[in-house]
Amino acid sequence: MTLFRPQIAVRVAALLVPLFVLGACDSKNATETEQPVRGLKVFEVSATADNMVRRYPSVIQPADESKLSFEIGGQLSEVTLEVGSRVEAGQPLLRLDPTTLNFELQQARAALGQAEASLSNARTDFERKAALLKSGNVTKAAYDSADNAYKSAEAQTEQARQQLAIAGERLEKSVLKAPFDGVISSVDAKSFANVSAGQSVLTLYSLNAFEVEFSVPATVINALATGDEARVAVTDLEDVTLKGRIKELGSRAGQVSAFPAVVILEEEHEGVKAGMAAEVSLNVGLLSGDVGFLVPVRCFALEQSETLRRGESVRQHDGGTAQVYVFDEATSTVKARTVMTAGVRDNMIIVVEGLKDGELIASAGVSYLHDGQKVRRLPASSH
């Protein structure tokens, strides 16, 4: 029987210790190099759109605004109007001093009375001369003279009658009346000032007719037509959005590649006033492609995209290239993919090339992903 020797045991232990140490170090290094698998929220590509929404900031303006003036000149009476006052059609707004006009009217009445008296005398003389001419007791020359005098008196009477009508009309025009129900937006004359015919003295706008004016780029103007529907959000009023319709489209750019457009409101709201901020929304056909998929903005790698940017520019996105990450279920990885976009609809980007129906794309933490990265799909209900 062979006896166990202590020397051999010591040698074996000395050989085993380094092996254990090396194994422990390899395990530690493997743990340190192993990368954690990121959880991934996904969005399934399905919903489509054949048009996009463009939004334009603007200001509510009166659709019917009139600068009012007197048709005759004269001195204003006291001005008591205030800006913002509501007036009704036919309501007197301003008056001219009627003293001179009343005097002109009295003179015209007197002149007409005198002309009518002269006409009566001339008619009597003419009728008498006509009767005498038949009996041979007056000459033809005397008859003709009476006839001419009678006709002249008739003309003078008609002229006097017209002058009286003019004087009455001038007196009536000395009162400036509201042509429609509206609101006074400015008063441009002071009490007792002399004004001339046609000089603007106040501005009145219609109470319930408003419009918004804005500019659209050259890429959009040809996709619009007068009569197209629009939505106007009154940003100064909470949750107030009114129906509108395109009233005018400019054929010439007011600025470089910026064409004027006007939308008139077809709905009324008692809180709407001229000068309030508004935002016009228009449905416009896609600038490229016939139809595209609706994809949330959060699914795009914004810092790597060529055209998408955070903020208001996303709301006015015209299209271009952008990057998304497509989830590969077979390998549990994400693949970077460049897609073509064509506008915005309901705060969603419209993708016209690069995606297929039913594909899953990353919808959170996109900026922290890279091509080929290992991920773990999170349940749909996860937050």
Side-chain angles (χ1 to χ4, degrees):
M1 181 175 181
T2 303
L3 297 177
F4 179 78
R5 295 180 181 180
Q7 295 84 355
I8 296 176
V10 171
R11 291 177 182 177
V12 173
L15 292 173
L16 292 176
V17 168
L19 293 176
F20 285 126
V21 172
L22 289 175
C25 290
D26 290 342
S27 177
K28 179 179 179 181
N29 290 336
T31 302
E32 290 178 348
T33 57
E34 183 179 353
Q35 296 294 328
V37 177
R38 177 182 294 276
L40 183 71
K41 291 183 178 181
V42 297
F43 171 81
E44 182 176 355
V45 178
S46 61
T48 60
D50 59 2
N51 60 71
M52 63 179 176
V53 176
R54 297 301 302 267
R55 296 180 174 88
Y56 303 95
S58 185
V59 177
I60 301 290
Q61 298 177 349
D64 297 324
E65 186 173 35
S66 299
K67 291 184 176 297
L68 304 185
S69 61
F70 288 97
E71 296 184 48
I72 61 174
Q75 184 182 47
L76 277 174
S77 298
E78 184 179 5
V79 178
T80 59
L81 295 176
E82 294 182 356
V83 174
S85 299
R86 294 189 178 187
V87 297
E88 297 179 354
Q91 177 180 334
L93 303 176
L94 294 174
R95 297 176 184 271
L96 296 176
D97 185 354
T99 303
T100 301
L101 298 174
N102 281 327
F103 178 70
E104 292 177 356
L105 183 62
Q106 291 174 2
Q107 281 188 320
R109 284 173 178 167
L112 177 59
Q114 184 177 0
E116 288 177 340
S118 298
L119 175 61
S120 179
N121 292 334
R123 181 186 298 110
T124 301
D125 184 58
F126 170 73
E127 291 174 350
R128 185 172 60 83
K129 294 288 178 60
L132 292 175
L133 180 63
K134 290 181 180 180
S135 62
N137 294 324
V138 70
T139 65
K140 183 68 167 57
Y143 169 82
D144 290 341
S145 177
D147 184 29
N148 291 334
Y150 177 43
K151 291 178 180 178
S152 176
E154 283 186 322
Q156 291 178 357
T157 302
E158 181 60 28
Q159 183 178 8
R161 189 174 290 111
Q162 291 179 0
Q163 289 296 327
L164 177 61
I166 292 173
E169 186 177 359
R170 282 174 55 81
L171 182 61
E172 183 178 349
K173 289 180 178 179
S174 68
V175 180
L176 186 63
K177 298 179 180 181
F180 50 79
D181 295 344
V183 177
I184 296 174
S185 58
S186 68
V187 179
D188 308 316
K190 297 182 179 180
S191 299
F192 313 117
N194 287 316
V195 296
S196 57
Q199 177 183 340
S200 176
V201 290
L202 64 85
T203 305
L204 183 70
Y205 68 84
S206 179
L207 185 61
N208 296 316
F210 294 101
E211 64 185 20
V212 289
E213 184 175 351
F214 52 97
S215 296
V216 297
T219 54
V220 175
I221 186 65
N222 290 330
L224 302 176
T226 55
D228 287 352
E229 294 183 357
R231 302 291 295 176
V232 179
V234 185
T235 53
D236 283 337
L237 299 176
E238 186 176 358
D239 298 327
V240 175
T241 301
L242 305 175
K243 292 181 181 179
R245 192 169 297 277
I246 295 179
K247 173 185 175 184
E248 299 176 14
L249 286 174
S251 58
R252 181 176 180 178
Q255 302 176 0
V256 178
S257 297
F259 293 82
V262 177
V263 166
I264 188 167
L265 299 186
E266 294 187 324
E267 287 185 306
E268 298 179 3
H269 189 281
E270 59 182 5
V272 175
K273 292 181 174 58
M276 286 185 169
E279 184 181 66
V280 182
S281 298
L282 300 174
N283 286 335
V284 183
L286 301 184
L287 302 182
S288 61
D290 297 326
V291 68
F293 293 106
L294 293 173
V295 178
V297 177
R298 65 180 184 274
C299 296
F300 294 87
L302 298 182
E303 73 279 11
Q304 299 174 3
S305 171
E306 296 180 12
T307 56
L308 295 181
R309 295 292 184 269
R310 290 182 174 87
E312 287 300 315
S313 60
V314 173
R315 297 162 66 84
Q316 299 287 24
H317 177 56
D318 280 333
T321 58
Q323 182 174 288
V324 298
Y325 287 93
V326 181
F327 176 63
D328 186 347
E329 292 185 276
T331 61
S332 293
T333 59
V334 289
K335 304 293 183 181
R337 186 184 297 176
T338 299
V339 298
M340 180 66 68
T341 64
V344 179
R345 176 70 184 270
D346 298 331
N347 294 322
M348 307 272 277
I349 302 297
I350 303 174
V351 177
V352 292
E353 292 183 16
L355 290 177
K356 298 178 181 179
D357 186 25
E359 284 190 308
L360 302 177
I361 59 177
S363 63
V366 180
S367 299
Y368 301 99
L369 299 176
H370 59 81
D371 187 40
Q373 182 175 350
K374 195 77 172 179
V375 293
R376 174 175 54 85
R377 179 181 175 183
L378 297 175
S381 59
S382 178
H383 295 285

